[in-house]
């Protein structure tokens, strides 16, 4: 291994130990990461000089000798911008190196035409930087979350299961226009990275995101499984029935997402919407089909709407099958579920009911629901930049 690579690995050890401990002395740090005191002192001196870490002061001790000086990461050393791109919506989020939100903007914009949208996005990013009195040198990088398949190495969206159904060199275009490092990743993969920062003990798990789309990401030894594979984790496009409708994304028939994602369930309820067929939804929407939302559908299910309960049970049963099969293939230590639907007692009871009917092992021991809210999802690309650029993981 080259000396440069060894130093990079040691810096990563130091920064990650500081992140996990908040503050620690060099002596204790040396023991935790098993690094020679002389090597540690040399690297820390460089990091202190650059302003990446800082000294917090001496620790009072009854023991004789030199007092310990606590070290901590300087979370204001750089800023990060996170961009979350969805259908007809995108957001810009500014944080420090801890992920603390300092500014955030939301835009209801047409995102369907890739190059027209990118021109608009770049303009808004430049404006966002100016509004927050930043210069490019203050930014560690810009992270981007986008639905669909992404080529990790080139930062390009893919034509198959891609957001725009065409290959768009997102990273290349934006770095040329902005002259700032750009990190592009699938939204669910970024969420899995975010989850690792929230739960330090997570290292081997499967992260499943349920929303307007359905996706997953497998993490093995704190690394995204097949990180370079743009199509890994697309669990939502698994075939689950003989439905003849072609999914507009994967271009196949009978996939889970096209039948039971939030969008698909919403469409099912809109088709049968009436005072007779969906009386509770009809009442909650004041008789106006335009007022139907997924939250209202879940609320109607909790109130006993028969059509909703039937659909939710079907969705839960098929999702349970996908989870059980995924578990058999990879045996992750944990399964983390993310999405508002998993906070719905009706759906979660259906899900576990099916699982326990098929599996003797108590899945509740390994399944948890992520604390990441829909609003907090917009911060996910921040943590991808932190992982790749700052902590050098």
């Amino acid at each position: 291994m080259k000396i440069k690579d060894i130093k990079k690995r040691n810096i990563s050890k130091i920064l990650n130990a500081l992140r996990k401990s908040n503050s620690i002395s060099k002596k204790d740090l040396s023991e935790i990461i098993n690094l020679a005191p002389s090597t540690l002192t040399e690297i820390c001196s460089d990091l202190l000089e650059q302003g990446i870490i800082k000294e917090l002061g001496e620790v009072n001790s009854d023991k004789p000798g030199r007092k310990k000086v606590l070290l901590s990461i300087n979370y204001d050393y750089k800023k990060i911008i996170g961009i979350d791109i969805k259908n007809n919506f995108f957001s810009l989020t500014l944080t420090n190196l801890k992920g603390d939100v300092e500014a955030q903007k939301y835009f209801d914009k047409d995102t369907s035409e890739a190059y027209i949208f990118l021109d608009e996005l770049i303009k808004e990013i430049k404006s966002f930087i100016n509004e927050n009195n930043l210069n490019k040198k203050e930014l560690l990088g810009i992270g981007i979350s986008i639905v669909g398949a992404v080529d990790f190495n080139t930062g390009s969206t893919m034509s198959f299961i891609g957001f725009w159904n065409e290959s768009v060199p997102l990273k290349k275009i934006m770095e040329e226009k902005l002259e700032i490092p750009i990190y592009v990743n699938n939204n669910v993969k970024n969420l899995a990275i975010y989850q690792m920062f929230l739960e330090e003990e997570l290292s081997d798990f499967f992260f499943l995101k349920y929303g307007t789309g359905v996706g997953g990401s497998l993490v093995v030894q704190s690394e995204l499984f097949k990180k370079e594979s743009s199509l890994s984790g697309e669990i939502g496009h698994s075939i689950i029935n003989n439905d003849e409708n072609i999914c507009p994304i994967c271009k196949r028939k009978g996939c889970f997402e096209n039948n039971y994602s939030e969008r698909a369930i919403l469409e099912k309820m809109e088709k049968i919407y009436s005072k007779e067929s969906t009386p509770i939804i009809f009442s909650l929407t004041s008789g106006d089909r335009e007022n139907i939302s997924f939250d209202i559908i879940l609320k109607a299910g909790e109130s006993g709407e028969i059509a909703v309960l039937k659909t939710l049970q079907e969705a839960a049963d098929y999702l349970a099958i996908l989870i059980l099969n995924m578990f058999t293939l990879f045996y992750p230590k944990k399964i983390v579920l993310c999405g508002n639907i998993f906070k719905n007692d009706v759906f979660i009871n259906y899900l576990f009911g099916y699982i326990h009917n098929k599996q003797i092992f108590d899945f509740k021991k390994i399944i948890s629901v992520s604390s990441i809210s829909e609003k907090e999802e917009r911060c996910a690309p921040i943590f991808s930049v932190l992982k790749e650029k700052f902590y050098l993981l």
Side-chain angles (χ1 to χ4, degrees), residues 167-234:
S167 181
V168 179
L170 208 55
K171 177 181 172 70
K172 181 175 183 293
I173 292 171
M174 294 186 67
E175 284 187 339
E176 287 177 355
K177 299 280 187 180
L178 295 169
E179 298 179 321
I180 299 169
I182 304 291
Y183 299 83
V184 187
N185 212 344
N186 166 267
N187 65 317
V188 182
K189 291 181 179 179
N190 277 343
L191 282 167
I193 293 170
Y194 187 4
Q195 191 70 42
M196 279 192 282
F197 274 84
L198 292 176
E199 296 185 66
E200 296 292 349
E201 72 279 5
L202 277 182
S203 58
D204 295 89
F205 66 101
F206 185 80
F207 187 93
L208 191 150
K209 175 68 174 74
Y210 187 108
T212 53
V214 180
S217 182
L218 181 66
V219 176
V220 180
Q221 296 182 353
S222 300
E223 284 291 338
L224 295 176
F225 178 69
K226 289 196 171 183
K227 179 169 67 173
E228 287 79 14
S229 174
S230 57
L231 297 177
S232 65
E234 291 292 345

Side-chain angles (χ1 to χ4, degrees), residues 310-323:
K310 180 177 180 295
T311 302
L312 289 180
Q313 182 163 18
E314 288 174 356
D317 289 354
Y318 283 122
L319 187 61
I321 292 170
L322 294 184
I323 290 173

Side-chain angles (χ1 to χ4, degrees), residues 238-246 252-256 258-260 318:
S238 300
I239 305 303
I240 49 97
N241 63 22
N242 293 319
D243 177 58
E244 286 298 311
N245 293 313
I246 297 175
R252 297 188 294 185
K253 298 176 181 179
C255 79
F256 179 85
N258 200 44
N259 282 271
Y260 293 106
Y318 283 122

Side-chain angles (χ1 to χ4, degrees), residues 11 63 71 86 91 93 114 183 192 199 203 207 216-217 227 233 246 278 282 293 299 304 312 322 347 363 380 386:
I11 290 172
K63 295 180 181 180
L71 298 174
K86 291 186 170 65
S91 64
T93 302
Y183 299 83
E199 296 185 66
S203 58
F207 187 93
S217 182
K227 179 169 67 173
I246 297 175
T278 56
F282 193 86
S293 68
K299 189 174 180 180
L312 289 180
L322 294 184
F347 184 84
F363 251 56
L386 281 172

Side-chain angles (χ1 to χ4, degrees), residues 273-275 279-291:
Y273 178 82
S274 70
K275 191 174 182 178
I280 297 175
I281 293 177
F282 193 86
S283 174
L284 291 172
T285 56
S286 302
D288 187 348
R289 188 190 303 268
E290 296 297 318
N291 292 332

Side-chain angles (χ1 to χ4, degrees), residues 84 86 295 340 343 372-378:
D84 187 30
K86 291 186 170 65
D295 286 339
N340 288 337
K343 296 169 186 175
I372 300 173
S373 68
E374 192 171 344
K375 184 177 180 181
E376 289 170 334
E377 287 178 23
R378 296 161 189 165

Side-chain angles (χ1 to χ4, degrees), residues 19-231:
R19 172 171 64 89
K20 292 173 183 178
S21 62
N22 276 332
S23 61
I24 193 171
S25 69
K26 277 192 283 188
K27 183 177 183 302
D28 293 336
L29 186 58
S30 175
E31 292 174 358
I32 287 173
I33 63 176
N34 194 26
L35 196 62
S38 59
T39 303
L40 180 71
T41 297
E42 181 184 345
I43 294 174
C44 285
S45 294
D46 289 343
L47 296 176
L48 282 164
E49 187 176 337
Q50 294 176 62
I52 295 173
I53 64 174
K54 59 184 179 180
E55 294 182 343
L56 296 180
E58 297 178 340
V59 180
N60 292 325
S61 175
D62 296 331
K63 295 180 181 180
R66 294 180 63 183
K67 291 184 177 180
K68 293 180 178 179
V69 177
L70 291 179
L71 298 174
S72 174
I73 293 172
N74 176 15
Y75 289 109
D76 292 317
Y77 166 67
K78 295 279 186 179
K79 307 295 183 185
I80 303 173
I81 291 176
I83 303 171
D84 187 30
I85 302 172
K86 291 186 170 65
N87 288 317
N88 300 316
F89 169 89
F90 73 95
S91 64
L92 301 178
T93 302
L94 176 70
T95 75
N96 62 8
L97 296 180
K98 200 172 186 177
D100 298 328
V101 176
E102 298 183 357
Q104 200 165 52
K105 290 185 76 173
Y106 316 103
F107 303 86
D108 291 316
K109 297 278 186 180
D110 181 7
T111 57
S112 60
E113 295 294 331
Y115 293 96
I116 294 173
F117 167 68
L118 283 182
D119 286 340
E120 183 72 20
L121 176 61
I122 290 166
K123 184 180 76 173
E124 293 295 353
I125 293 170
K126 288 179 179 178
S127 176
F128 189 64
I129 291 172
N130 290 332
E131 287 169 11
N132 289 283
N133 301 311
L134 296 170
N135 61 58
K136 294 174 183 178
K137 292 182 179 179
E138 292 178 273
L139 289 168
L140 183 69
I142 294 176
I144 299 176
S145 281
I146 191 165
V147 176
V150 174
D151 185 314
F152 179 82
N153 293 315
T154 65
S156 301
T157 62
M158 304 296 287
S159 57
F160 182 69
I161 313 185
F163 185 72
W164 289 299
N165 290 321
E166 65 176 308
S167 181
V168 179
L170 208 55
K171 177 181 172 70
K172 181 175 183 293
I173 292 171
M174 294 186 67
E175 284 187 339
E176 287 177 355
K177 299 280 187 180
L178 295 169
E179 298 179 321
I180 299 169
I182 304 291
Y183 299 83
V184 187
N185 212 344
N186 166 267
N187 65 317
V188 182
K189 291 181 179 179
N190 277 343
L191 282 167
I193 293 170
Y194 187 4
Q195 191 70 42
M196 279 192 282
F197 274 84
L198 292 176
E199 296 185 66
E200 296 292 349
E201 72 279 5
L202 277 182
S203 58
D204 295 89
F205 66 101
F206 185 80
F207 187 93
L208 191 150
K209 175 68 174 74
Y210 187 108
T212 53
V214 180
S217 182
L218 181 66
V219 176
V220 180
Q221 296 182 353
S222 300
E223 284 291 338
L224 295 176
F225 178 69
K226 289 196 171 183
K227 179 169 67 173
E228 287 79 14
S229 174
S230 57
L231 297 177

